[in-house]
């Protein structure tokens, strides 16, 4: 209606292109459709990358990763959409000729362009998780705007610039290239992380550093400092002798990401909102954000892919987050190339050695001076013990194998003896113990150990036959899974203290805030245990304390989660079907089938506690 098409056609006709009245043939329809499809594919690849950069959780991909992902995505999109466009052009030609029409090339091009633009948003239907959430309307709007913006440059401005340059007229050429460069630069902005200015800290009044070391999969009863430890861990034992040991620390969840979020926020999983089977719908205040407001630098260094920063959202709590994310992980999150990449079976590294985690921490902390820092180091070797190397030492003559090998074990590993499994598990705990020694020696060499608060714990343990599971979390909330080590080293505090009674990982945040004198822990659900560490003459903690709560990992095929409550030496486990099991854990883990008298009253009290807790969770949701 505005004559725009006529002007465009006359312009290209003057540059030597075919006139608009040329009748389309099968070859010309395929070529034109292929070029139009390739251009649309390039537009969608750019829009796809823009969506990734704008919505990807922190940390964003680096510039090199973003450009590499764009190249891979563009190659896949151009080839696929080009082929689709060529086929679409031929099919449209056949359909139009079936109505006794001989369409002109420009008319056929209009049909191809219209169908490609209409079909482009369907890429959302095949996109990975994250596109199809509540942001879908905005994603569609952004994609539509980008399609028209880049389509104008790809189909009009750039060809015009090329043709004008051939005729010696460089004005439009330079303008077109500059416009494309600006557009790509705008997309690349998402690859850079813009940090808020940090508060200035007076070096003379620096707070204590905070170091949290978690060894995922390490059972409390596997350490020598506990009653029945079967692994000699000299460095962990030395840390316990210089600090305090909480005898009965309980994880709030048998899922590592959920437990890690509780460790960093002081909230139980239903309150902090991070769920393994879903997305983190909101992000509560965390210890890292509180200390950053006091000038702290924050960094995380994890060794297990299950704690991937972008996938779990945990990276958003830290300034720097070092995990196992590589280029192909970003490609997997794209809607175009990711659809092919996710179906390409390629080897993926699920763990990195504890020594690599320590080295990442070493590089991060090296340039930090005169400001306090908080770091979280996660060692994950005990979670996935590898093959036992017979050259290390000979396992006992035990021909028995695991009755039910873990789902993650390979055929060769599943066939090794039970004794070899235990030796491999012990080896991983020893490697974590050595890595802890390396970290403490690094801090000692930097002259910072005397002003560093050190917390050693685990997200959860692994089952060693409890509930029929071996070397994985399993379905039951056994003590081997939920009872985790909890050691606190506080410079200048009481040494060698053993603190009885149930504690929880949600107690870490309020306790750290109490020890450092920082404010902001009033929203935590945990208990501030600092008084048992700083008050030398204070009353000891009552062993009959609590309650603390725990829940199982997601059980998608077993009807929901298990929930447990601990109070003193008693534990009650509730099942989704309403069943309850009552345990006395004062000496091992002994189920009480028929509870009478005092035991019956305690069982009823625990049942009421758990019922109220679940009711509060349902109400909050």
């Amino acid at each position: 209606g505005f004559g725009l098409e006529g002007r465009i056609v006359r312009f290209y006709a003057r540059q030597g292109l075919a006139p608009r009245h040329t009748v389309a043939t099968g070859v010309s329809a395929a070529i034109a459709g292929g070029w139009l499809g390739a251009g649309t594919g390039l537009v969608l690849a750019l829009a796809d990358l823009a969506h990734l950069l704008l919505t990807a959780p922190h940390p964003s991909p680096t510039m090199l990763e973003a450009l590499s992902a764009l190249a891979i995505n563009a190659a896949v999109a151009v080839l696929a959409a080009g082929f689709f466009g060529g086929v679409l052009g031929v099919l449209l030609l056949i359909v139009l000729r079936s109505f006794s029409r001989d369409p002109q090339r420009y008319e056929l091009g209009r049909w191809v362009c219209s169908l490609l633009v209409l079909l482009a948003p369907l890429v959302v239907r095949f996109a990975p998780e994250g596109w199809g959430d509540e942001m879908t309307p905005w994603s569609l709007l952004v994609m539509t705007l980008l399609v028209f913006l880049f389509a104008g440059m790809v189909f009009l401005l750039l060809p015009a610039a090329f043709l004008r340059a051939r005729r010696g007229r460089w004005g439009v050429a330079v303008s077109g290239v500059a416009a494309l460069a600006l557009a790509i630069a705008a997309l690349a902005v998402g690859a850079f992380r813009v940090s808020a200015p940090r508060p200035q800290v007076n070096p003379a009044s620096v707070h204590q550093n905070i170091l949290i070391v978690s060894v995922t999969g390490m059972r409390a009863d596997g350490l020598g400092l506990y009653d029945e430890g079967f692994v000699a861990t000299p460095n962990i034992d030395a840390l316990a002798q210089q600090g305090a040991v909480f005898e009965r620390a309980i994880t709030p969840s048998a899922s590592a990401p959920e437990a890690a979020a509780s460790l960093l926020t002081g909230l139980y999983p239903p309150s902090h909102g991070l769920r393994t089977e879903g997305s983190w719908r909101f992000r509560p205040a965390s210890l890292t954000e509180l200390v950053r407001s006091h000038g702290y630098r924050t960094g995380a260094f994890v060794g297990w892919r299950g704690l991937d920063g972008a996938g779990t959202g945990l990276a958003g709590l830290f300034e720097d987050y070092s995990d196992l994310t590589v280029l192909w992980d970003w490609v997997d999150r794209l809607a175009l190339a990711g659809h092919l990449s996710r179906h390409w079976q390629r080897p993926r590294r699920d763990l990195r050695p504890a020594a690599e985690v320590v080295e990442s921490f070493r590089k991060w902390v090296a340039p930090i001076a005169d400001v306090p820092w908080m770091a979280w180091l996660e060692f994950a070797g005990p979670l996935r013990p590898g093959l036992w190397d017979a050259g290390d030492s000979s396992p006992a003559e035990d021909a028995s194998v695991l009755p039910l090998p873990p789902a993650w074990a390979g055929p060769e590993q599943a066939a090794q003896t039970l004794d070899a499994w235990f030796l491999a598990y012990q080896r991983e705990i020893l490697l974590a113990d050595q890595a802890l020694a390396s970290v403490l020696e690094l801090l000692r060499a930097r002259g910072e150990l005397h002003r560093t608060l050190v917390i050693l714990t685990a997200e959860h343990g692994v089952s060693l036959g409890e509930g029929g599971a071996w070397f994985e979390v399993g379905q039951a909330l056994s003590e081997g899974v939920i009872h985790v080590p909890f050691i606190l080293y506080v410079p200048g505090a009481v040494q060698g203290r053993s603190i009885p009674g149930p504690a929880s990982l949600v107690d870490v945040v309020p306790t750290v805030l109490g020890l450092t004198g920082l404010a902001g822990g009033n929203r935590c659900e945990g208990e501030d245990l600092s008084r048992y560490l700083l008050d030398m003459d204070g009353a000891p903690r009552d062993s009959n304390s609590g309650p603390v709560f725990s829940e199982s990992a997601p059980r998608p095929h077993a009807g929901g989660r298990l929930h447990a409550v601990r109070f003193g030496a008693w534990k009650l486990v509730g099942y989704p079907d309403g069943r309850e099991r009552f345990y006395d854990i004062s000496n091992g883990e002994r189920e009480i089938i028929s509870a009478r008298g005092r035991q019956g009253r305690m069982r009823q009290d625990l049942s009421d506690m758990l019922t109220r807790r679940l009711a509060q969770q349902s109400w909050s949701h």
Side-chain angles (χ1 to χ4, degrees):
F2 294 97
L4 178 62
E5 182 182 354
R7 295 191 183 95
I8 295 174
V9 170
R10 287 194 296 272
F11 167 79
Y12 283 111
R14 288 196 299 270
Q15 313 305 323
L17 268 69
R20 65 185 303 172
H21 55 74
T22 303
V23 177
T25 63
V27 176
S28 64
I31 294 176
W35 280 111
L36 292 171
T40 304
L42 179 60
V43 169
L44 292 177
L46 290 168
D48 193 8
L49 181 67
H51 179 272
L52 174 66
L53 296 179
L54 293 173
T55 62
H58 169 81
S60 301
T62 63
M63 173 63 75
L64 181 60
E65 289 174 334
L67 294 178
S68 301
L70 173 61
I72 297 172
N73 204 35
V76 172
V78 167
L79 292 175
F83 176 79
F84 177 75
V87 174
L88 184 62
V90 173
L91 291 177
L92 283 173
L93 179 64
I94 295 174
V95 171
L96 292 175
R97 283 185 174 178
S98 66
F99 290 96
S100 302
R101 294 183 56 188
D102 289 324
Q104 299 173 350
R105 293 182 61 181
Y106 283 88
E107 179 187 5
L108 186 65
R110 285 198 301 271
W111 280 100
V112 173
C113 281
S114 300
L115 289 177
L116 287 174
V117 171
L118 290 175
L119 294 176
L122 290 180
V123 71
V124 178
R125 171 64 180 82
F126 304 101
E129 184 179 358
W131 276 73
D133 54 13
E134 63 273 8
M135 293 296 292
T136 296
W138 294 104
S139 303
L140 286 172
L141 178 60
V142 171
M143 175 177 284
T144 303
L145 294 176
L146 287 173
V147 164
F148 281 106
L149 173 63
F150 286 107
M153 287 193 294
V154 173
F155 296 130
L156 299 177
L157 186 57
L158 292 182
F162 175 74
L163 294 172
R164 285 294 182 94
R166 289 181 59 185
R167 296 170 63 91
R169 302 178 65 179
W170 291 91
V172 176
V174 173
S175 302
V177 173
L180 183 61
L182 288 175
I184 294 178
L187 290 176
V189 168
F192 292 97
R193 191 167 59 248
V194 181
S195 300
R198 302 188 188 95
Q200 295 298 320
V201 178
N202 182 4
S205 61
V206 167
H207 297 288
Q208 289 181 329
N209 300 323
I210 302 170
L211 174 65
I212 301 176
V213 179
S214 63
V215 187
T216 310
M218 183 171 67
R219 296 165 57 111
D221 60 3
L223 302 181
L225 58 94
Y226 288 89
D227 294 336
E228 299 178 358
F230 54 83
V231 183
T233 51
N235 300 295
I236 295 177
D237 294 353
L239 182 68
Q241 292 173 3
Q242 299 172 13
V245 178
F246 292 87
E247 297 177 355
R248 285 291 177 181
I250 305 300
T251 181
S253 175
S255 166
E258 298 175 10
S262 294
L263 175 68
L264 297 169
T265 62
L267 300 172
Y268 284 103
S271 298
H272 64 58
L274 174 60
R275 287 303 194 181
T276 306
E277 69 270 24
S279 59
W280 198 337
R281 295 184 177 274
F282 62 92
R283 196 178 73 194
S286 64
L287 177 61
T288 55
E289 292 171 322
L290 292 174
V291 299
R292 284 174 66 182
S293 66
H294 291 81
Y296 278 69
R297 295 287 306 276
T298 60
F301 311 88
V302 303
W304 182 43
R305 181 172 290 276
L307 292 171
D308 166 67
T312 61
L314 290 172
L317 304 180
F318 295 87
E319 290 178 288
D320 299 285
Y321 198 96
S322 173
D323 56 17
L324 280 76
T325 301
V326 295
L327 171 62
W328 288 109
D329 295 298
W330 293 113
V331 174
D332 286 345
R333 295 185 175 100
L334 293 169
L336 300 173
H339 189 65
L340 178 64
S341 175
R342 288 187 297 275
H343 292 84
W344 176 27
Q345 298 296 328
R346 62 183 186 279
R348 285 163 40 115
R349 191 169 71 146
D350 290 330
L351 296 175
R352 61 173 173 173
E356 288 188 19
V357 177
V358 174
E359 185 60 26
S360 297
F361 168 70
R362 186 192 307 273
K363 294 178 180 178
W364 175 80
V365 80
I368 300 178
D370 298 331
V371 293
W373 50 262
M374 173 187 166
W376 170 39
L377 278 68
E378 186 262 347
F379 306 139
L383 187 64
R384 297 284 191 273
L387 277 169
W388 173 252
D389 187 358
D392 295 341
S393 64
S394 299
E397 294 297 331
D398 184 358
S400 63
V401 297
L402 292 184
L404 184 63
W408 51 267
E412 185 179 2
Q413 192 172 10
Q416 68 181 1
T417 64
L418 179 60
D419 191 64
W421 274 98
F422 274 101
L423 289 174
Y425 181 71
Q426 295 176 24
R427 175 192 59 195
E428 296 299 337
I429 294 180
L430 288 175
L431 290 175
D433 181 73
Q434 296 169 9
L436 174 65
S438 300
V439 174
L440 298 180
E441 182 59 32
L442 171 64
L443 299 183
R444 189 176 292 110
R446 287 173 55 89
E448 294 183 340
L449 186 58
H450 71 282
R451 58 182 182 89
T452 300
L453 180 68
V454 182
I455 301 102
L456 176 72
T457 186
E459 284 79 9
H460 57 73
V462 294
S463 293
L464 297 180
E466 300 96 338
W470 290 91
F471 297 98
E472 56 185 350
V473 173
Q475 301 296 331
L477 289 173
S478 62
E479 284 296 293
V481 173
I482 66 174
H483 181 201
V484 296
F486 184 8
I487 302 172
L488 253 173
Y489 166 72
V490 184
V494 180
Q495 297 183 358
R497 175 169 290 185
S498 183
I499 302 176
S504 174
L505 294 189
V506 299
D507 299 333
V508 171
V509 172
T511 302
V512 169
L513 295 176
L515 292 171
T516 56
L518 303 178
N522 56 334
R523 295 186 178 180
C524 295
E525 294 180 311
E527 178 186 358
D528 181 1
L529 304 173
S530 60
R531 61 183 180 274
Y532 303 110
L533 304 171
L534 299 177
D535 189 358
M536 298 183 183
D537 300 323
R541 189 168 190 248
D542 185 5
S543 59
N544 292 318
S545 56
V548 294
F549 300 91
S550 185
E551 59 185 49
S552 69
R555 307 193 314 158
H557 305 295
R561 297 174 183 254
L562 276 63
H563 294 82
V565 57
R566 283 282 300 276
F567 189 87
W570 309 99
K571 178 175 77 171
L572 183 79
V573 179
Y575 288 76
D577 59 3
R579 292 183 297 114
E580 295 179 342
R581 300 180 70 176
F582 185 51
Y583 298 89
D584 177 8
I585 58 170
S586 57
N587 187 16
E589 185 175 12
R590 180 174 61 89
E591 183 177 5
I592 300 176
I593 304 299
S594 179
R596 295 184 178 88
R598 177 173 172 270
Q599 291 181 347
R601 290 192 298 272
M602 178 56 67
R603 173 170 183 161
Q604 186 59 49
D605 290 343
L606 290 180
S607 179
D608 293 341
M609 293 178 190
L610 189 59
T611 301
R612 285 194 298 268
R613 179 69 186 174
L614 296 177
Q616 291 174 359
Q617 295 176 10
S618 302
W619 179 83
S620 63
H621 290 325

